[in-house]
Each structure stands twice: as structure tokens, then as C-alpha cells.
Amino acid sequence: MTLIVATRRMFRLARLDLLDGLRSRRQLVIRALTPVGLLLVLGAVLALVGGGDERIREGDYTVAVEGDRNGAAEVLGSLERERLRFVPVDDATRAVFDGTDVGVVLPDDLDARLAQGERLEITVVENPVRRSSRAAGLLVTSAVLDLHAAEVRSVPVASGERRAEPAFTYEITTIELTFEGVSVLVAQLIPALLCLQAALLTNGAASRMAGRTQMGLVQSQLALPVRRSELAGAKATAELGVGLVVSLPVLGIVLLLSALRSLDDFTGAEMAVAALAVLVALVAMGVLAAATGVVIGLVARTHGEVSLGTGVVLVVAAVTAGLVALGPFDLPSVAAVVPVVGLVSSLRHLLDGQGSIGWVAVAIGVTLLAAFFMVRVAGRSLDAERMVTRS
Amino acid sequence: MIEVRALTKTLGSTRVLDGISFVAPSGQITGLLGPNGAGKTTAMRVLATLLHPDDGEVRIDGVDLATEPLEARRRIGLVTEEPGLFDRLSVREQLLFVAEVHGLSRSAATERIEQLAEALRMTDLLDARAGVLSKGNRQKVSLCRALVHDPPVLLLDEPTSGLDVVAAEGLQELLESADLTAERTVLLSTHRVDEAERLCERVVGLAAGRVVVDASLAELVAADGATDFRSTFVRLLGEATLAGRVAEQ
């Protein structure tokens, strides 16, 4: 009962800050559009970092082979001489997503049909964002070309006649253009967007809190008959409210992407669970981000310190989004016990069809716990003495 | 009534309040006077529960600040130099918020705000955004906010500081009004002797963190044998401040 009363009081206290935040339309628009812009910039940076060519390295490249491997022993044997190590898989596209350098999809009975002169097609699957994948793809296609050239040369041609048509062709498929590729990309984009959105929430909350402290607004509220922790909770709640409103475009994109993801192999129930997990994760990250922003805004002595604090949060969020959500760091499930990072990772796994809702729940719980701790810190930071001595 | 006994407060390495004691009786305005750096604002912040005292005892309307800070805050109305208003919200919204936090029902709060706005001659300001108000009007809103829950104790920390002559005059006129202040204990912190002379019946003079004067205006002038309060007070504070500086050195 006491908790309910305290919560009601906190929401009542949050009303004024919330209204004030929602009436700044220009700030709302900027804050709503920034994460989308940031993600585009981050994507461009990642593409640049992953761009460029890689020299063919000394070691072997791993090739995920999907299809009839036994029926293609001769062709694969020829290709193996080019330092390509073949690994049988059920799904070459998936394997390339999971880190295998390159994938090959073979037709059935390749050797036999090739010997009969049948025209066949080999699909090479590569990830254009990874240099090693592009290099391996190049190696595979050049080896295939060599093989092709040898086949063509082996056919005698009478004087004046044209050489035969190629015995088989190859096609390079980049994973982004596959349906599964889009699905996996969506699974990466959603947590990345949430992560960036949370960082921006921290930024907005910290700036506003610092401004209000400077204007004497916080001090006037400290003279009200409310507990510091309630006031701090109210500030964080209001910032969360504003944060959720400015998250609407991101939420829209996330729902759109989720719908796209559901077209793949998710059942209706799985999709509902995933959507719910995304929403709760958004709120959990938002609570932590808002509380962190309140702490930074109250503790920082100058606007420079606010910028420094929020800058650090933004960098951490960008690194988390870039490496854990979008990038190559595939953290183990147990990483769910690390606030935010674990949530990003476990959410990615869930949306990817490889994680479990249990780990996401753990990650949400841990993140909320961290948020609770941060609210307590915010309550202590609301010490008027600290503000007075600071000013 | 405000009772302060042996109040001590150190900020950083500076002892800002050095065992001050005084009583501000109810039903009158007591002035807390002193030059800049005398410790007036620190004393007001301790009384408003914004700062914790290092030592000593403070009672607001009989409530001990150290043991019941929330209860003490319920009995205090605070006006500071910086009004601390949300610029994008209307005056009415902000007053309603404070009234409700103090436990007034919506209807009671609305009625109270209308009454106060009329008394403070600011009815036309109620639906304006605080951001568009002049500093004088913002201070009026701050005073209205401090009175909205009808507190027995009113703390005014340099309320006319930074106001132009007309705005300061308007605010002083309001503070003179018996409707607003007569039934309360009012402690007015100011460095303006003319303001204290006009509004206060009693003054507590601070210099270098110590109480150097604690008397009614009439008593003070009579004891000093001077012709007016201003010259008596300036002389006493000047001597005390100088003595304090010498002691520090």
C-alpha cells in the first residue's frame, strides 16, 4: 500500500517536469530524429571501417558448403588447393552471418552432371561488410574461374570453330540481399536503435536537469515536503516520459522491422513475445538512461561537465551498438547479467531466432536493477547542500 | 515562531554561521540583516531545510528541523531571490502543483489560488506562461507559491534583490499587507536597511557569521542614542564586521 501511495506521489511530482518537457516542440523533434540520423552515420562509419580490400592472407579461408558435398568431391578437391577449407553446413547464408568467411551453395551431383556437360550454377555467398569475406569470395570465384577455364580448354576445338560455352557459371550473392540477411540485419538494428535512443535520453535528461538546477527550479522543489528519493524518482519518471514520446519514430521503425522479421520463420506467438520483449527492453533502458541523465545533470558543476558525462554515455552506447548489436561481437548468453550490454546482446539473439526470452528477462531485470540503483544515486545527488556549495 | 539556538554551519573550510541564536516571534516580520557574506542566505537555507546544520537546534513553529524535516517543510513558505519557475508552464499550473503537493484538494487549491491572486493583484497573470513574466511578476508568483498552503512561517530570502524600484516597491507594499503576513512568522533576509526599516518590527543583525544585533527597531535606536535606525545599524554592523575580519586574520 505504501509503495502504491509513494508511486502515485512520484507520478504526481513528475507531472510538472513532464509537461515542461513535452511543451518544447523543437527539442522534441530534434531528439526524435537524432537517433535515426546517428544510426545512419554509425552505419556509414562501420561500412568505411569494414570497407577497402584485404590482401589474400597466408592462412586458410573457411568456406561453408551447403548442398550435395559428396557429389562435388572432385570440384571441391580442385578448389581446396587454393587454401580453402570446406565445412559442411545446412545453411550457407546463416553460416556467413555467424562468421564463416564465405559460403557456397552447390547443386546436386555436381561432378557427374559436369562430366555430362550439363550447364550448372554455383552460388557464392559473401558478406560485403567484412573484408575477409570479400577476399575469400574473390578466392573462391577466381578458383571457380580457373576450373572453368580448364574445363573449356579440355574440349578440343577444330580450326575456325568457336570454343564451347562455359560448363558452369557462378553467381555471387551478398547476404544483405537475401531474405534471411534482411531478417538478421533487422535483429541487429533493433537493439542498436534502442541503445542509441537510450543514450540520447540520457543526454536530454542531463541537459535539462543541469539547466533547471541553474535556474533554481530544483532548489525550489527541494523545499517541498517530499522525500529526496521521491523527487529524484519523479525527475527520472518525467524524463522517461519525454524519452518515450521522442522514441516514437524509433518505435515505429522498430515495429516495422519487427513486422518484417515476422515474415520469416517466427510464429505469431513468438512474434508477440519478441515485440513485447522489445517494448519492455525499451522501457528498461529508458529508465536507466533517464536516471543516469538525472544524476549527470545534478552532479555536474558546469555545462562542460554535463557534455563530458553525456559524451561518455554516447560513446559507450555507440560502441555497444556498433560492436554488440551491429558488429561481430557475439557475446555468450550469460552476458545478460551485464546491464545494457547484456540486454542488447540477448535481444539481438532473441530476434535472431537463436536466443531465449529467459535471458532477455534476466537482462531486463538486471538493467532495471541498475536503474533502481541509479535512482538512489540521483536521490543522493539531490542533496541541496551539494548544490549550494557547488554554486 | 522560529527558534534558533547555537546554530553552526561550515561550508568548505569557512565557518559561515558561528553559533547564532535568535527568536523570530509570530505575528510580525523579523529582519535578518547583514552585509554580503554575513551568513544570511546560509541561515535561511538551513531554516528552509536545504542545508543541514553542523550543530545547534532550529525549531519551526515548534517542529525540530533535525528530526522532522518533512513536517517543518509543510510549515514553511519560501521565497528566494531566484523564483525557480518553469518557463513553459502557466502560473496556475505551477501553483496548483505546489498546492497539491502540500495536500490541498483540487477544488480547495483552485479557490485558494484565486484568493491569493486577488490579494497579490496578479489575477491576470494566472494563465500566462511564466517565461513571459517580468522579474517583478515572477517574484509575485513566487510569493503566491510560498503562501498557497497557508504556512505559519514565511521565509523571504532577499525577495527584492535584482528588482527595479517600482517592482521592489510593489512587493514591499504587498508584504506590508496584513492579509498576507499578519498571522505568520515572517523572516525577511535583506541587506537593504531601508527595506528592513519599512517592513520589520524586529531585526537580527549578522556579521561574520555571528549575531551582533537582536532587538526591535525602536529599542535599538533608543539604546544607541542615535537619531535613526539606519545610522545605528550601519555603525553596529560595520564595527562587528571589522572585528570579525580582524579576528579571522
Side-chain angles (χ1 to χ4, degrees), chain B residues 2-4 7 43-53 56-73 76 155:
Chain B
I2 299 172
E3 298 159 271
V4 178
L7 178 64
M44 293 299 269
R45 282 171 173 164
V46 171
L47 296 184
T49 74
L50 298 178
L51 291 177
H52 304 291
E57 187 186 4
V58 180
R59 287 185 171 274
I60 299 283
D61 199 32
V63 175
D64 189 348
L65 279 195
T67 55
E68 295 177 277
L70 284 183
E71 192 51 46
R73 278 182 218 146
I76 293 170
L155 301 176

Side-chain angles (χ1 to χ4, degrees), chain B:
Chain B
M1 185 160 69
I2 299 172
E3 298 159 271
V4 178
R5 284 195 201 101
L7 178 64
T8 302
K9 181 68 194 173
T10 302
L11 292 176
S13 57
T14 310
R15 180 166 278 213
V16 186
L17 299 177
D18 193 4
I20 66 169
S21 300
F22 66 89
V23 173
S26 59
Q28 57 180 257
I29 300 179
T30 303
L32 191 61
L33 268 82
N36 292 332
K40 302 185 300 295
T41 297
T42 302
M44 293 299 269
R45 282 171 173 164
V46 171
L47 296 184
T49 74
L50 298 178
L51 291 177
H52 304 291
D54 295 336
D55 206 357
E57 187 186 4
V58 180
R59 287 185 171 274
I60 299 283
D61 199 32
V63 175
D64 189 348
L65 279 195
T67 55
E68 295 177 277
L70 284 183
E71 192 51 46
R73 278 182 218 146
R74 287 195 185 94
R75 291 156 193 262
I76 293 170
L78 176 68
V79 178
T80 56
E81 184 184 343
E82 181 54 61
L85 299 171
F86 287 90
D87 284 350
R88 295 187 198 94
L89 302 185
S90 75
V91 170
R92 191 188 298 275
E93 283 171 325
Q94 305 195 50
L95 295 175
L96 272 174
F97 169 79
V98 173
E100 287 179 10
V101 168
H102 276 285
L104 271 72
S105 69
R106 187 83 174 181
S107 57
T110 306
E111 195 180 330
R112 173 77 181 148
I113 288 166
E114 293 291 346
Q115 280 173 0
L116 275 175
E118 204 174 322
L120 291 165
R121 300 191 284 278
M122 52 169 274
T123 308
D124 54 329
L125 304 180
L126 283 179
D127 294 310
R129 280 193 309 118
V132 302
L133 301 181
S134 66
K135 187 156 188 200
N137 281 336
R138 287 168 74 85
Q139 218 38 316
K140 265 193 193 178
V141 174
S142 179
L143 180 60
C144 187
R145 183 179 58 189
L147 293 168
V148 79
H149 57 294
D150 197 13
V153 173
L154 189 59
L155 301 176
L156 307 170
D157 186 11
E158 307 207 15
T160 57
S161 183
L163 297 188
D164 61 50
V165 178
V166 178
E169 169 68 25
L171 200 64
Q172 286 169 357
E173 214 174 280
L174 288 172
L175 293 173
E176 278 181 318
S177 155
D179 292 347
L180 297 176
T181 55
E183 301 293 315
R184 304 174 211 284
T185 303
V186 182
L187 186 63
L188 168 70
S189 158
T190 181
H191 58 266
R192 292 176 53 184
V193 178
D194 60 325
E195 190 170 77
E197 195 171 11
R198 174 176 177 179
L199 297 173
C200 305
E201 286 147 71
R202 187 174 186 83
V203 288
V204 175
L206 286 184
R210 291 183 186 149
V211 174
V212 292
V213 174
D214 185 359
S216 71
L217 270 63
E219 284 168 0
L220 202 61
V221 175
D224 193 57
T227 52
D228 61 284
F229 166 71
R230 185 185 183 85
S231 53
T232 302
F233 199 77
V234 169
R235 188 184 61 74
L236 282 170
L237 278 191
E239 285 171 2
T241 306
L242 191 62
R245 283 186 190 147
V246 170
E248 267 179 32
Q249 284 166 2

Side-chain angles (χ1 to χ4, degrees), chain A residues 226-310:
Chain A
V226 288
R227 292 180 200 288
R228 303 287 192 247
S229 53
E230 279 179 5
L231 201 54
K235 300 274 170 209
T237 305
E239 291 304 328
L240 176 67
V242 176
L244 290 178
V245 170
V246 297
S247 299
L248 286 178
V250 167
L251 201 61
I253 293 172
V254 164
L255 289 177
L256 194 71
L257 293 176
S258 302
L260 204 66
R261 180 76 186 90
S262 72
L263 294 176
D264 196 12
D265 53 359
F266 272 27
T267 64
E270 283 172 338
M271 193 52 226
V273 168
L276 189 67
V278 168
L279 285 176
V280 178
L282 174 74
V283 174
M285 274 203 230
V287 175
L288 180 59
T292 307
V294 170
V295 170
I296 292 174
L298 292 174
V299 169
R301 294 179 186 179
T302 61
H303 282 292
E305 286 184 6
V306 172
S307 302
L308 185 68
T310 54

Side-chain angles (χ1 to χ4, degrees), chain A residues 171-355:
Chain A
E171 182 191 353
I172 295 182
T173 304
T174 58
I175 52 175
E176 277 82 355
L177 299 178
T178 63
F179 191 84
E180 186 174 13
V182 172
S183 297
V184 174
L185 199 65
V186 165
Q188 295 174 348
L189 268 176
I190 290 175
L193 270 170
L194 297 188
C195 199
L196 290 176
Q197 184 67 58
L200 291 168
L201 205 161
T202 300
N203 186 37
S207 303
R208 279 221 302 268
M209 203 48 58
R212 285 174 184 169
T213 307
Q214 203 170 29
M215 287 165 63
L217 270 164
V218 178
Q219 202 168 308
S220 69
Q221 292 190 339
L222 285 170
L224 295 173
V226 288
R227 292 180 200 288
R228 303 287 192 247
S229 53
E230 279 179 5
L231 201 54
K235 300 274 170 209
T237 305
E239 291 304 328
L240 176 67
V242 176
L244 290 178
V245 170
V246 297
S247 299
L248 286 178
V250 167
L251 201 61
I253 293 172
V254 164
L255 289 177
L256 194 71
L257 293 176
S258 302
L260 204 66
R261 180 76 186 90
S262 72
L263 294 176
D264 196 12
D265 53 359
F266 272 27
T267 64
E270 283 172 338
M271 193 52 226
V273 168
L276 189 67
V278 168
L279 285 176
V280 178
L282 174 74
V283 174
M285 274 203 230
V287 175
L288 180 59
T292 307
V294 170
V295 170
I296 292 174
L298 292 174
V299 169
R301 294 179 186 179
T302 61
H303 282 292
E305 286 184 6
V306 172
S307 302
L308 185 68
T310 54
V312 169
V313 171
L314 201 58
V315 167
V316 170
V319 168
T320 307
L323 297 181
V324 181
L326 297 173
F329 278 22
D330 192 15
L331 299 177
S333 302
V334 74
V337 298
V338 181
V340 181
V341 174
L343 186 51
V344 168
S345 173
S346 58
L347 199 60
R348 174 185 167 177
H349 287 154
L350 180 78
L351 296 172
D352 207 3
Q354 295 186 319

